[in-house]
Amino acid sequence: MTALAFIFYFSPTWAQEQIATTWPTSSCLTESSWQKMPSHPRLFATSKRWNDLKSQLKKDTVSQKLFSLVKERAENVLQLPLLGLATKTASHGTARQIQGRIAGLSMTYKITGDKRFLDRVVNEMSDLASSPGWNPAHFLTCSEATVAMSIGLDWLYDDLTIDQRKLFANAIIEKALKISLLNENNLNNWSESGGNWGSVCNGGMAIGALTVKEYAPELAKKVVNRSLANIHFAGDNYAPAGAHSEGPGYWAYGTTFYVLFAEALRGSFGTSCSIENATGFLRSGEYILQLMAPSDDMFSFADSEPFWGFEPVMFWFAKELKQIDMAEPLFKRLAPMHSYLVSDNAKADASRIQPLGLLWWNPELLNKKAAPRKLNWWSEGGSQPQAVMRSAWNDKNATFVGIKAGKAGISHGHMDVGSFILEAKGIRWAVDLGRDGYTLPRQHGLGNDLFLPTQESKRWAIFCNGAESHNIIRFNGAPQWIEGKADLVPTTNKAVSPGYKMDLTPVYAGQVVSAQRGFNLRSDKSMLIQDEWETGERGTAITWQWLTYAKVELKANQVLLSQSNESLQLLVVSKDVIHLSVQDVGSPQNVWDAAHPGLKRITIRINAPAKQLGRIAIIADPSLKAEHDAPELLLPLNEW
């Protein structure tokens, strides 16, 4: 980025001279665009949209159900004390919590006219405005707090006194927008981040700027121009086919704020500046549907967990693409997650902003039928290549395979290159733990390395992050080379289709001459996993890993897994002598690790001589009817 430095003086609260940067004026916004900006409300819903929503609520049962959750949560908040932010700096959790409170209380007042909700939301906003700070040292927190205040100020503008408007606008200006221009608060260069930080921080600051344009027009322009100049870094992460490098959990976080930015631009200028047209972005709703396994849990990898909560942004994708199936995961979660959705706890998902889901929901989609979905999907490359295969849709007993290539050295990455998860007969037989959480590592001195993706980082000593906890092949027990990237391509030979193969050689540089892995979902719903390698000048100890919560029974060249009255067999095909074992890894492996009761690691070990080509194949069979393939009949991966 070209930087033009100049001196910018801040309020006495920040009585310091800082070098800031200017950004070119966006070509999609002119001075006339700013002058014609409509009055409040303009964030996410205009006055017309609010009136239309009241009519929609009289006729549409889905809208009624969504609003009932919003109102129930708002009623619950009335019974709770304020968060007490006037006496403490906001944390990430409290910023999310007050965001949910302000959005829910504001919408409930807008729809019902009940001034109990107006009075309470003004008190919440006053509490937030009086906070000593919105934690710019962790700028995600600052951004969340900014969006919280912006929603309240914009939606309730006509119901607030002049003094209240000034108080809330000044809080956004002083505690967020001006501070965002200080270099010291650009933690990890969030302004040019390609991960969730780029979407959340650029989006949040732009939303704040658009809200207070009347009070700080030049500052608002500067902040919006910065966000528009830099949002492409986050947008590039979806290319080419919608997959996200940080996994489905952080996809939801970053994508929600990316959409909020686009919608705030539309409401303010009548244009999103086409930021949603970043390559692959509009395909990422399909990506999320594909990653949902038959159990409704996600193909989790990196710092994402199998549980996927209630993400209102899927209503936006349904509206934007006119595809009802984008909203179906939310419909499924409404009843079972009722108590979760109406609680006031800070959420890791975005269910705290359910009101936006209601604003995005389009009842006309109920008349549309979902289009057939592909059984096999892949990311078509991208920074973290991924693929899924399934034997059927809408079948809880279907076989589902999620495959992860790419590299470990990326935001929220794990040493999981070549890893996979497997579901069949309603059970997840091969698991990926996702992340444990960040509290224990911070308590035990790993805080500085927690997000440091270097080879020597202590991040990899965390059990969930390192090689020990993933379904991968390993050589001499060494970690994966974090800058080595494995590419993934579909198979072209019909004998092993559907299938995918990857070249793991860069990931194991210096450990073996070459390494490849292939996956094939077979017609009998079994999965074939095949690994091939070439050793170097020395003999190599090869370890093949499978993590599971199932009961494990070992046989000569077979493993029987049992869980919830179901079974799966693993058939080992190898011409080499193998050593089968299973370890209990459910207890914390280090003081900074969480417990995973019942977790086991199956290992298959081979002692490979120097300068030798080797191969092992595992057939994961839910039918218990498959037989061992002869090693010599295995099709070499280069023929897949």
Side-chain angles (χ1 to χ4, degrees):
M1 186 193 317
T2 301
L4 175 63
F6 66 98
I7 301 300
F8 196 101
Y9 295 94
F10 290 94
S11 68
T13 305
W14 294 87
Q16 51 189 314
E17 197 174 86
Q18 293 289 337
I19 302 297
T21 306
T22 59
W23 294 268
T25 300
S26 171
S27 60
C28 96
L29 299 180
T30 64
E31 187 60 34
S32 176
S33 303
W34 287 92
Q35 292 174 356
K36 293 179 180 179
M37 184 182 290
S39 59
H40 299 280
R42 55 178 176 247
L43 291 184
F44 320 126
T46 62
S47 295
K48 181 180 183 307
R49 178 67 185 111
W50 283 111
N51 290 331
D52 289 346
L53 180 58
K54 291 177 182 179
S55 299
Q56 180 178 317
L57 284 165
K58 295 176 181 178
K59 300 177 288 185
D60 177 54
T61 56
V62 174
S63 300
Q64 292 165 4
K65 176 61 177 175
L66 293 173
F67 180 64
S68 72
L69 293 170
V70 173
K71 186 173 183 294
E72 184 176 351
R73 186 174 183 178
E75 290 280 7
N76 290 338
V77 170
L78 294 181
Q79 309 306 313
L80 299 172
L82 294 173
L83 297 177
L85 293 176
T87 59
K88 61 186 178 185
T89 298
S91 67
H92 201 196
T94 54
R96 288 178 162 187
Q97 195 170 4
I98 203 165
Q99 187 184 98
R101 288 185 174 193
I102 290 173
L105 291 164
S106 298
M107 171 170 272
T108 305
Y109 170 68
K110 295 283 286 186
I111 297 300
T112 67
D114 186 337
K115 291 205 171 181
R116 293 180 303 146
F117 301 105
L118 175 62
D119 292 342
R120 179 54 187 264
V121 74
V122 168
N123 288 338
E124 297 281 355
M125 294 168 68
S126 298
D127 190 36
L128 181 59
S130 301
S131 172
W134 291 353
N135 197 5
H138 181 254
F139 214 82
L140 293 175
T141 301
C142 189
S143 183
E144 298 260 23
T146 301
V147 171
M149 187 68 86
S150 298
I151 288 174
L153 177 56
D154 181 71
W155 289 5
L156 303 174
Y157 196 84
D158 291 338
D159 295 283
L160 300 173
T161 67
I162 292 176
D163 287 344
Q164 287 169 340
R165 294 174 191 169
K166 288 180 178 179
L167 173 66
F168 302 147
N170 189 65
I172 293 172
I173 293 167
E174 298 295 334
K175 299 180 191 297
L177 302 187
K178 286 183 177 180
I179 288 175
S180 77
L181 297 174
L182 294 174
N183 289 335
E184 66 186 57
N185 294 314
N186 193 8
L187 180 67
N188 297 326
N189 197 25
W190 59 253
S191 60
E192 297 181 14
S193 169
N196 67 89
W197 280 74
S199 296
V200 175
C201 297
N202 280 305
M205 290 304 99
I207 289 165
L210 293 171
T211 303
V212 301
K213 176 258 182 181
E214 293 87 347
Y215 296 88
E218 295 307 313
L219 178 61
K221 292 174 187 176
K222 177 189 293 291
V223 171
V224 171
N225 283 333
R226 176 185 60 191
S227 294
L228 284 172
N230 292 331
I231 196 63
H232 74 89
F233 291 106
D236 291 345
N237 204 8
Y238 298 90
H244 199 271
S245 65
E246 296 176 323
Y250 282 101
W251 172 92
Y253 191 24
T255 302
T256 295
F257 276 76
Y258 197 103
V259 165
L260 292 178
F261 183 18
E263 287 296 304
L265 288 169
R266 285 175 173 173
S268 299
F269 301 112
T271 177
S272 63
C273 295
S274 296
I275 66 170
E276 77 281 7
N277 291 326
T279 301
F281 183 80
L282 291 174
R283 298 175 67 183
S284 68
E286 169 73 11
Y287 164 65
I288 289 300
L289 294 186
Q290 288 287 351
L291 262 58
M292 286 184 180
S295 63
D296 284 334
D297 280 340
M298 299 300 289
F299 164 31
S300 54
F301 62 86
D303 276 347
S304 287
E305 301 168 356
F307 171 76
W308 204 72
F310 190 90
E311 302 292 354
V313 73
M314 294 302 288
F315 281 130
W316 183 87
F317 278 98
K319 173 183 72 74
E320 194 76 5
L321 301 173
K322 298 180 173 60
Q323 295 179 13
I324 183 63
D325 46 341
M326 295 291 159
E328 287 176 351
L330 303 181
F331 295 153
K332 284 193 221 179
R333 285 161 167 75
L334 284 176
M337 292 182 65
H338 180 273
S339 60
Y340 175 88
L341 294 173
V342 300
S343 69
D344 182 55
N345 295 331
K347 301 294 195 300
D349 62 13
S351 59
R352 62 189 179 278
I353 50 173
Q354 293 173 58
L356 291 168
L358 176 53
L359 288 169
W360 292 330
W361 164 240
N362 178 7
E364 294 179 3
L365 295 177
L366 291 172
N367 299 320
K368 290 185 173 289
K369 291 184 178 181
R373 315 214 76 78
K374 295 178 180 179
L375 294 176
N376 309 297
W377 175 95
W378 75 301
S379 62
E380 301 173 25
S383 61
Q384 290 289 74
Q386 305 156 45
V388 296
M389 298 179 284
R390 69 183 78 218
S391 60
W393 282 94
N394 303 316
D395 179 359
K396 292 289 186 183
N397 293 313
T399 297
F400 173 91
V401 186
I403 305 163
K404 162 75 168 50
K407 68 178 185 177
I410 197 166
S411 174
H412 292 287
H414 286 191
M415 288 188 177
D416 59 3
V417 183
S419 192
F420 61 93
I421 63 107
L422 171 69
E423 285 190 10
K425 299 160 76 171
I427 306 293
R428 183 161 295 194
W429 301 102
V431 303
D432 186 305
L433 301 175
R435 66 180 174 93
D436 269 345
Y438 304 137
T439 302
L440 279 174
R442 285 186 171 120
Q443 289 175 349
H444 293 280
L446 272 66
N448 291 338
D449 281 21
L450 199 50
F451 303 106
L452 181 64
T454 64
Q455 195 69 38
E456 299 77 22
S457 174
K458 294 179 182 178
R459 172 177 175 79
W460 315 118
I462 300 170
F463 180 69
C464 285
N465 297 356
E468 297 286 342
S469 66
H470 291 101
N471 304 315
I472 58 175
I473 192 167
R474 302 178 66 192
F475 302 97
N476 291 324
Q480 295 186 330
W481 176 246
I482 69 163
E483 289 305 321
K485 181 183 177 184
D487 289 320
L488 176 76
V489 294
T491 57
T492 56
N493 190 325
K494 291 183 179 180
V496 283
S497 293
Y500 297 89
K501 62 180 181 178
M502 63 181 79
D503 183 6
L504 296 168
T505 304
V507 180
Y508 296 111
Q511 300 178 34
V512 287
V513 175
S514 65
Q516 289 83 34
R517 170 167 273 197
F519 299 85
N520 169 219
L521 180 59
R522 309 198 307 184
S523 59
D524 62 356
K525 300 184 182 180
S526 67
M527 180 181 68
L528 170 66
I529 312 163
Q530 186 166 313
D531 285 283
E532 296 177 0
W533 60 84
E534 180 182 355
T535 55
E537 297 294 330
R538 296 180 180 180
T540 303
I542 294 166
T543 305
W544 195 97
Q545 298 181 170
W546 177 299
L547 280 289
T548 186
Y549 285 104
K551 177 183 176 182
V552 179
E553 180 182 352
L554 302 180
K555 299 183 179 181
N557 58 354
Q558 181 180 351
V559 181
L560 183 65
L561 305 181
S562 303
Q563 186 173 339
S564 302
N565 298 317
E566 298 289 354
S567 298
L568 177 95
Q569 65 174 347
L570 305 181
L571 305 178
V572 183
V573 182
S574 174
K575 67 179 183 179
D576 296 302
V577 176
I578 66 169
H579 302 274
L580 273 170
S581 63
V582 59
Q583 300 92 40
D584 183 343
V585 290
S587 299
Q589 305 299 293
N590 304 283
V591 293
W592 50 75
D593 291 322
H596 299 276
L599 183 67
K600 303 167 192 71
R601 180 175 59 216
I602 302 165
T603 58
I604 306 171
R605 290 187 170 87
I606 297 173
N607 292 319
K611 298 182 180 180
Q612 185 186 72
L613 298 175
R615 176 184 297 135
I616 187 172
I618 311 297
I619 300 169
D621 171 37
S623 75
L624 308 183
K625 296 178 182 179
E627 298 182 356
H628 281 83
D629 292 346
E632 61 271 16
L633 296 181
L634 291 173
L635 191 67
L637 288 174
N638 61 11
E639 296 181 21
W640 281 35

